[in-house]
Amino acid sequence: MASMSSTLVETVSINYEDFNESFLTCGTCLCTYDGGEHTPKLLPCSHTVCLHCLTRIAASQTRDAGSFRCPICRELITIPRGGVPALPPSFLVNQLLDLMARQRREVIPQCSSHPGRELLFCETCDCVFCRYCADGPHSDTPCDHTVVPFSIALKRMSEILLYRANECLSKLGSAREAVAGELRRLEAAATAADEAIDRHFAELRAALEKRHNELKSAAAAAASHKRKLLEEQLKLIDAEKSKVEAECSGLQQQVEVREVSSRAAALGARLGDAAALAEPRENAFLAVDFAHNDAQQRFVDSLEVLGRVRTSTTFPGLCSLQLESSCVSGLEVVVVLRTVDYHGEARSTGGDPVTAAATLDDAPLPCTVTDLDSGLYRISMRPWSAGSVSVRVLVFSRAVRDSPLRAAVTSQAAPLRVWGARGNGKDQLSQPVALARCPKRKEIYVLDAGNSRVKVLDDETFAFKTHIVNEGLAGRSCTGIAVTAEGVAAVNWRTRTITEVNTEGTTLRTIRSDRLVEPVCVAADVATRRLAVADNGARTVFVFDRYGNIEREIGNGDLGLVGGLALSEDLIIIADVAVRIYDSEGNLKNTLAPVPKGRGVYGGVAIDETGSGKHIVCARSVRGRAALVVLEAGGGGKTLAACELLDKKPRRVAGIALLPNKKVLLADLAGDCLRLHTYW
């Protein structure tokens, strides 16, 4: 019968004596655990030792009566207040003792209806049954079920129970240590907070005491000054009184009329002096005024908001890390930390102590943590070579969920977007040789030389807006464009003219000069309305004033073929075989990032004015490898960022324009398209 052909699997039987010796015997005295003298006690280190051994070990500790070391792992154990007997019992060992006691009473479970017949256990159905009970449960055992003797199943379950219990105890021990560690850190933080409060208010008390002493000194000085003047006046009065008394002495015995008359005249003169001394020369007014301004009220108001106690509900184990963009060597890599609380709710404030450490192929990589004060933290770094980057982030010295975050750093920068294709439609280009952006009008101007027009795009969506057509753009010979206050200026190398037009295509001014030979690039300073024109025929850059007159010549015929030109109020940037920085007077200040002679060329340059200074963004190609480079305009001109454009590389970069959020738009002359990249 199929029902009787179920499989009895091969199992491993555990010897009772071995099990008893391994798990139910004290490893110190080798006595079997019981409920009396050898009661099993569980130590904080998760080891179990009998009460008798622990009492003996604790009594032998002479150096520190409040603790002893575990005889198994040597971890220091603190004796609880109730002594060694107060240590918690090992519930697992006690349960195993009860289990083995039952096992000893009936080692092999048997069927109550069929004495001597061992019960079986179906692991598939999780059911105990007797093969000989026709009407019992599981009487018809399918052939594909796994059946083992019930005694073996009990032993196996005991093993599983023991393993899981030990695993559970280990995790609980780790959890206890983690919570205890957090409590210790909390106590340290509370102590530090108390010390900081005491220190700060001690400084305030010192400042108050200083002002208190200053006011008292000022009051004492004022009183001393007044007292001195009044005392001097008193001395004068006493002196005059003495003189008058001296004049009057013996006057009654004086019979000589002339003498009496003379003394009377002298006393009359002194009467005037006495009248002058009758009024105190100094007054007794002295007061301290605290109502002459609102300093006291402002002090009270400031005290009400002085200091704050910050706490946090951030739960590191649920916080997440996320890369903001792809990782490219030479560009900034940003990892965003999102903090949440214990319930998974996003935090909306910052202030958490976040630390980060990054490595590139196991080598330290400098990184910076920026608190955005919104529950988000920005961790930025810049790897200068390809490899594997790893970022480890801690909050409260505890690892967040995704830490360490690992990512591959590539040596190639793929375009974020490619716009346009060859043609003459509104979404098509033919030989885009240059481009410029007007932040005020939020427009991008693409010099579509092959179609003799300027294409106007929205600088956010790249949506087509209009075409600018003008006679100055005709002939498919315009090679440079710049944004002016009222429109754009384009340079035509064939007609050797610079034409400024508005967005409707109306000519605003035309600049011509006999000095121009082969003008190719133009840059504009909107504030001063000056124009700079690079002439590859004259190997010179001409600077025109607002009236179209040449005010300055730069290069004196020594420049190479200029591929990029930028102009600001105080700088002129020329990119030929290097990036050359001139001041507004045409004096060369620095020469940066030269390319190998005959093997490299620049294809556009722009000035990025940031809060930390001016940066120079340029596109160049060396040995056919296109790249974006960001240079420091001041100081030593060091390279701040750089990336190669090898993935879907542009065939020939002819111009660049900077966009918000560290984006740059490249004009691909040979590819008849625009490519959007990140340059920082």
Side-chain angles (χ1 to χ4, degrees):
M1 293 177 61
S3 62
M4 299 304 293
S5 60
S6 56
T7 305
L8 283 173
V9 299
E10 182 179 357
T11 60
V12 177
S13 176
I14 298 177
N15 183 272
Y16 171 80
E17 287 75 14
D18 293 340
F19 181 82
N20 184 68
E21 182 179 350
S22 299
F23 300 99
L24 303 181
T25 301
C26 176
T28 304
C29 64
L30 302 180
C31 294
T32 304
Y33 293 125
D34 55 26
E37 182 182 10
H38 297 285
T39 298
K41 292 291 185 178
L42 180 65
L43 300 181
C45 59
S46 301
H47 290 120
T48 301
V49 182
C50 74
L51 176 61
H52 175 75
C53 292
L54 292 179
T55 303
R56 177 175 52 80
I57 293 172
S60 65
Q61 298 289 334
T62 58
R63 294 186 178 179
D64 189 357
S67 63
F68 63 90
R69 294 194 176 274
C70 171
I72 299 175
C73 67
R74 308 303 296 167
E75 181 174 331
L76 190 64
I77 308 298
T78 302
I79 300 175
R81 184 172 298 177
V84 173
L87 287 169
S90 179
F91 296 103
L92 174 61
V93 174
N94 286 332
Q95 288 177 342
L96 289 176
L97 286 171
D98 294 339
L99 176 63
M100 296 310 295
R102 291 194 299 271
Q103 286 288 85
R104 283 195 294 271
R105 287 193 297 269
E106 187 176 4
V107 177
I108 301 178
Q110 298 179 356
C111 178
S112 59
S113 301
H114 300 88
R117 299 298 182 180
E118 184 178 359
L119 292 175
L120 302 178
F121 178 74
C122 179
E123 292 185 343
T124 307
C125 301
D126 194 21
C127 173
V128 179
F129 67 97
C130 174
R131 187 184 298 275
Y132 299 94
C133 291
D135 56 348
H138 214 282
S139 57
D140 295 329
T141 307
C143 61
D144 57 344
H145 285 204
T146 302
V147 177
V148 296
F150 186 45
S151 59
I152 302 300
L154 281 178
K155 293 180 180 179
R156 182 178 299 174
M157 290 177 185
S158 299
E159 295 174 6
I160 295 174
L161 171 65
L162 184 62
Y163 171 78
R164 291 182 177 175
N166 285 331
E167 188 177 19
C168 183
L169 286 174
S170 177
K171 290 185 178 180
L172 288 174
S174 299
R176 187 181 187 284
E177 180 59 32
V179 175
E182 200 68 19
L183 279 173
R184 289 192 295 270
R185 286 190 289 270
L186 175 61
E187 293 302 323
T191 302
D194 287 342
E195 293 174 352
I197 293 172
D198 292 341
R199 184 170 56 254
H200 194 82
F201 275 86
E203 294 174 357
L204 290 177
R205 283 192 292 269
L208 280 173
E209 187 64 26
K210 179 183 177 183
R211 185 56 180 163
H212 171 262
N213 293 333
E214 288 175 351
L215 286 176
K216 291 191 69 175
S217 298
S224 177
H225 177 70
K226 286 178 175 289
R227 186 180 300 109
K228 180 180 179 181
L229 293 177
L230 291 173
E231 287 176 349
E232 289 177 353
Q233 189 173 358
L234 277 177
K235 290 179 180 179
L236 289 175
I237 292 173
D238 291 341
E240 287 297 322
K241 183 179 178 182
S242 298
K243 290 179 182 180
V244 171
E245 289 175 348
E247 290 289 342
C248 295
S249 64
L251 188 61
Q252 293 178 351
Q253 291 78 21
Q254 186 61 251
V255 294
E256 182 65 34
V257 175
R258 268 182 203 174
E259 183 66 23
V260 173
S261 177
S262 174
R263 291 191 179 187
L267 288 174
R270 293 190 181 280
L271 187 61
D273 295 337
L277 294 173
E279 181 75 18
R281 296 178 182 178
E282 184 57 84
N283 57 70
F285 177 77
L286 179 63
V288 178
D289 186 10
F290 290 98
H292 67 292
N293 58 29
D294 62 343
Q296 183 171 346
Q297 185 59 45
R298 286 188 287 110
F299 178 73
V300 173
D301 294 341
S302 298
L303 279 179
E304 291 180 356
V305 296
L306 176 66
R308 62 171 179 168
V309 177
R310 290 192 301 114
T311 61
S312 175
T313 59
T314 299
F315 192 73
L318 296 179
C319 298
S320 60
L321 297 174
Q322 184 177 3
L323 275 172
E324 197 173 68
S325 61
S326 58
C327 302
V328 181
S329 62
L331 296 183
E332 187 178 54
V333 174
V334 176
V335 176
V336 176
L337 168 64
R338 301 178 185 273
T339 57
V340 297
D341 60 16
Y342 179 78
H343 303 287
E345 298 293 331
R347 297 260 297 145
S348 59
T349 58
D352 292 334
V354 178
T355 57
T359 58
L360 179 64
D361 291 338
D362 298 327
L365 179 64
C367 63
T368 304
V369 178
T370 303
D371 186 352
L372 303 181
D373 201 25
S374 61
L376 301 179
Y377 298 82
R378 192 172 183 270
I379 303 159
S380 57
M381 64 214 75
R382 191 182 302 276
W384 287 100
S385 61
S388 177
V389 66
S390 175
V391 184
R392 186 178 300 275
V393 180
L394 305 179
V395 181
F396 314 130
S397 301
R398 290 151 56 186
V400 300
R401 184 180 64 190
D402 301 320
S403 179
L405 180 69
R406 294 181 174 85
V409 179
T410 66
S411 59
Q412 306 172 351
L416 303 176
R417 183 175 180 180
V418 178
W419 189 94
R422 183 172 181 78
N424 57 9
K426 66 178 184 179
D427 294 330
Q428 295 176 318
L429 298 167
S430 177
Q431 296 181 348
V433 295
L435 47 81
R437 172 179 175 264
C438 179
K440 184 177 181 180
R441 296 190 286 266
K442 295 184 178 181
E443 293 177 337
I444 298 171
Y445 303 95
V446 184
L447 185 54
D448 191 2
N451 293 313
S452 299
R453 64 191 181 187
V454 174
K455 190 181 293 290
V456 184
L457 306 176
D458 182 87
D459 69 350
E460 292 183 359
T461 63
F462 291 178
F464 172 78
K465 299 182 74 171
T466 187
H467 283 135
I468 299 176
V469 180
N470 183 276
E471 59 186 11
L473 306 174
R476 299 181 179 180
S477 52
C478 287
T479 53
I481 190 171
V483 171
T484 63
E486 299 177 3
V488 295
V491 60
N492 191 313
W493 70 269
R494 182 172 285 125
T495 61
R496 293 181 292 179
T497 59
I498 299 97
T499 305
E500 183 180 0
V501 300
N502 60 19
T503 54
E504 285 76 33
T506 304
T507 301
L508 300 178
R509 63 172 172 167
T510 301
I511 299 176
R512 293 184 175 86
S513 174
D514 294 338
R515 303 293 305 280
L516 295 177
V517 180
E518 186 184 340
V520 292
C521 296
V522 62
D525 180 18
V526 176
T528 61
R529 295 197 66 187
R530 294 184 305 152
L531 294 177
V533 179
D535 192 320
N536 280 347
R539 299 297 176 100
T540 303
V541 171
F542 299 97
V543 180
F544 294 85
D545 61 18
R546 62 190 307 150
Y547 305 107
N549 301 317
I550 296 177
E551 69 174 23
R552 188 163 289 104
E553 298 181 18
I554 300 174
N556 299 321
D558 296 329
L559 296 177
L561 296 178
V562 177
L565 184 65
L567 177 66
S568 68
E569 191 171 351
D570 58 345
L571 291 179
I572 302 173
I573 311 297
I574 303 173
D576 50 5
V577 293
V579 176
R580 309 181 193 276
I581 303 176
Y582 295 83
D583 61 17
S584 58
E585 300 298 323
N587 301 312
L588 180 64
K589 308 298 291 184
N590 209 344
T591 300
L592 310 175
V595 296
K597 185 175 181 181
R599 297 188 179 183
V601 64
Y602 279 90
V605 66
I607 300 175
D608 181 18
E609 299 195 19
T610 66
S612 58
K614 292 182 179 180
H615 299 162
I616 301 172
V617 183
C618 47
R620 71 181 182 187
S621 178
V622 178
R623 297 183 178 90
R625 301 163 69 93
L628 285 171
V629 181
V630 181
L631 305 171
E632 184 182 37
K638 66 178 181 180
T639 301
L640 302 176
C643 66
E644 291 189 358
L645 311 179
L646 295 183
D647 190 6
K648 300 179 181 178
K649 64 180 180 179
R651 294 167 62 184
R652 181 182 172 189
V653 178
I656 65 173
L658 302 185
L659 301 180
N661 301 319
K662 304 297 184 182
K663 303 294 190 299
V664 60
L665 193 63
L666 281 62
D668 188 350
L669 174 64
D672 296 313
C673 63
L674 307 178
R675 298 178 183 272
L676 181 66
H677 281 270
T678 296
Y679 66 84
W680 187 253

